[in-house]
């Protein structure tokens, strides 16, 4: 019985489904029995240890391969769940779930009230991206459904590491509140415009009235001046006539 240590200085997702072999050299008619082991590639694991029983018989040299199938995996980030509320109560809402940085490609599923309600067929669209620089998967899933007053969950499952991540949100429609606020704002704006319009009309009417009064005063003033001139002229003529009569 002996222990073999296989050290890999660098491992990435490209080595998924690859196999490594350790050649055991012995003399004589001896046999090597080796069990298989799975190499999981994560951010911290780069070493694997395998115990191999062996026996020596005779002086004949034989070779045997010890196979190590590689199973690459990397954990995903917690799902980020967003909800785009519907414009109307009877319209469908859109839920978006995003997770990334993992390997291999995950399985994404949706739950409503922990699976009590079924997901309608054709309401889920999942987009998967394999980044060429890191060879890690990023997944974005969309759920379009008419639902309110229920818990909506997005589940991301990594089959290689048996990792299951869940994100849940409570969906309730708030459309009527927004509508009432919008209606109130519209009524207020309309009333404000009506008040401003009325003030403008009153201001214009008052200005027209002032203009008319001013014109009347100017006309009256001109009439008074003309009357005074006539009166002064008549008095001058009378005085002149009297002076002439006195001299005669």
């Amino acid at each position: 019985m002996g222990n073999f240590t296989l050290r890999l200085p660098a491992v990435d997702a490209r080595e998924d489904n690859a196999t490594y072999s350790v050649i055991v050299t012995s003399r004589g008619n001896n046999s090597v029995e080796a069990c298989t082991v799975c190499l999981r590639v994560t951010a911290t694991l780069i070493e694997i240890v395998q115990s191999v029983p062996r026996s020596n018989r005779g002086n004949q040299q034989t070779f045997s391969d010890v196979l190590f199938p590689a199973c690459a995996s990397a954990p995903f980030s917690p799902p980020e769940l967003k909800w785009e509320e519907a414009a109307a109560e009877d319209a469908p809402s859109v839920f978006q779930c995003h997770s990334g940085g993992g390997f291999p490609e995950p399985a994404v599923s949706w739950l409503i009230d922990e699976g009590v309600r079924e997901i309608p067929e054709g309401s889920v669209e999942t987009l998967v991206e394999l980044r060429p620089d890191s060879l890690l998967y990023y997944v974005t899933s969309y759920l379009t459904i008419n639902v309110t007053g229920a818990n909506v969950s997005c589940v991301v499952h990594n089959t290689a590491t048996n990792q299951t991540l869940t994100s849940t949100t409570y969906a309730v429609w708030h459309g009527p509140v927004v509508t009432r606020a919008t209606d109130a704002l519209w009524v207020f704006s309309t009333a404000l415009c009506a008040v401003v319009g009325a003030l403008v009309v009153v201001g214009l009417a008052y200005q027209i009235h002032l203009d008319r009064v001013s014109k009347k005063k100017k006309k009256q003033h001109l009439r008074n001046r003309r009357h005074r001139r006539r009166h002064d002229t008549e008095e001058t003529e009378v005085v002149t006539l009297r002076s002439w009569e006195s001299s005669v």
Side-chain angles (χ1 to χ4, degrees):
M1 180 70 68
N3 292 330
F4 292 89
T5 302
L6 174 64
R7 296 181 181 272
L8 304 177
V11 177
D12 57 36
R14 285 172 291 191
E15 300 184 57
D16 187 33
N17 295 325
T19 56
Y20 295 90
S21 62
V22 175
I23 301 177
V24 180
T25 305
S26 60
R27 296 181 179 180
N29 295 328
N30 54 353
S31 61
V32 176
E33 181 182 358
C35 61
T36 59
V37 66
C38 179
L39 173 65
R40 299 192 181 277
V41 183
T42 64
T44 57
L45 181 60
I46 58 173
E47 180 177 312
I48 145 179
V49 178
Q50 174 64 51
S51 298
V52 181
R54 58 186 179 179
S55 59
N56 296 322
R57 294 181 181 178
N59 295 324
Q60 186 177 359
Q61 190 178 42
T62 60
F63 298 90
S64 177
D65 291 343
V66 183
L67 301 180
F68 297 85
C71 304
S73 64
F76 282 84
S77 62
E80 182 181 356
L81 183 56
K82 297 180 180 180
W83 173 35
E84 181 180 346
E85 187 176 358
E89 188 174 7
D90 56 348
S93 300
V94 179
F95 299 86
Q96 175 184 323
C97 178
H98 178 76
S99 179
F103 191 91
E105 180 178 343
V108 182
S109 59
W110 292 87
L111 298 175
I112 299 180
D113 287 337
E114 300 180 356
V116 175
R117 298 177 56 179
E118 294 184 358
I119 302 295
E121 185 177 357
S123 60
V124 177
E125 180 183 4
T126 302
L127 305 177
V128 180
E129 178 188 5
L130 179 61
R131 300 282 176 88
D133 53 346
S134 61
L135 294 175
L136 298 177
Y137 282 94
Y138 291 79
V139 59
T140 302
S141 183
Y142 299 92
L143 172 65
T144 304
I145 188 173
N146 184 5
V147 62
T148 183
N151 290 312
V152 179
S153 303
C154 173
V155 182
V156 178
H157 180 66
N158 190 336
T159 57
T161 60
N162 200 25
Q163 177 194 35
T164 301
L165 301 172
T166 304
S167 181
T168 303
T169 183
Y170 182 72
V172 59
W173 190 63
H174 299 92
V177 177
V178 178
T179 302
R180 286 196 296 268
T182 304
D183 293 341
L185 182 61
W186 181 84
V187 171
F188 175 76
S189 301
T190 304
L192 182 61
C193 292
V195 171
V196 172
L199 291 176
V200 171
V201 171
V202 172
L204 290 175
Y206 184 70
Q207 185 64 39
I208 293 173
H209 172 70
L210 291 179
D211 292 341
R212 289 178 179 177
V213 171
S214 178
K215 288 180 180 180
K216 288 182 179 180
K217 288 182 178 181
K218 287 182 179 180
K219 290 181 180 180
Q220 186 65 32
H221 179 68
L222 290 175
R223 290 175 183 175
N224 293 336
R225 289 183 61 183
R226 289 174 184 176
H227 180 71
R228 287 177 182 176
R229 287 179 182 178
R230 289 178 182 177
H231 181 71
D232 293 340
T233 303
E234 291 177 353
E235 288 183 351
T236 303
E237 291 178 352
V238 170
V239 171
T240 303
L241 179 59
R242 288 178 180 178
S243 299
W244 181 76
E245 290 179 351
S246 298
S247 60
V248 172

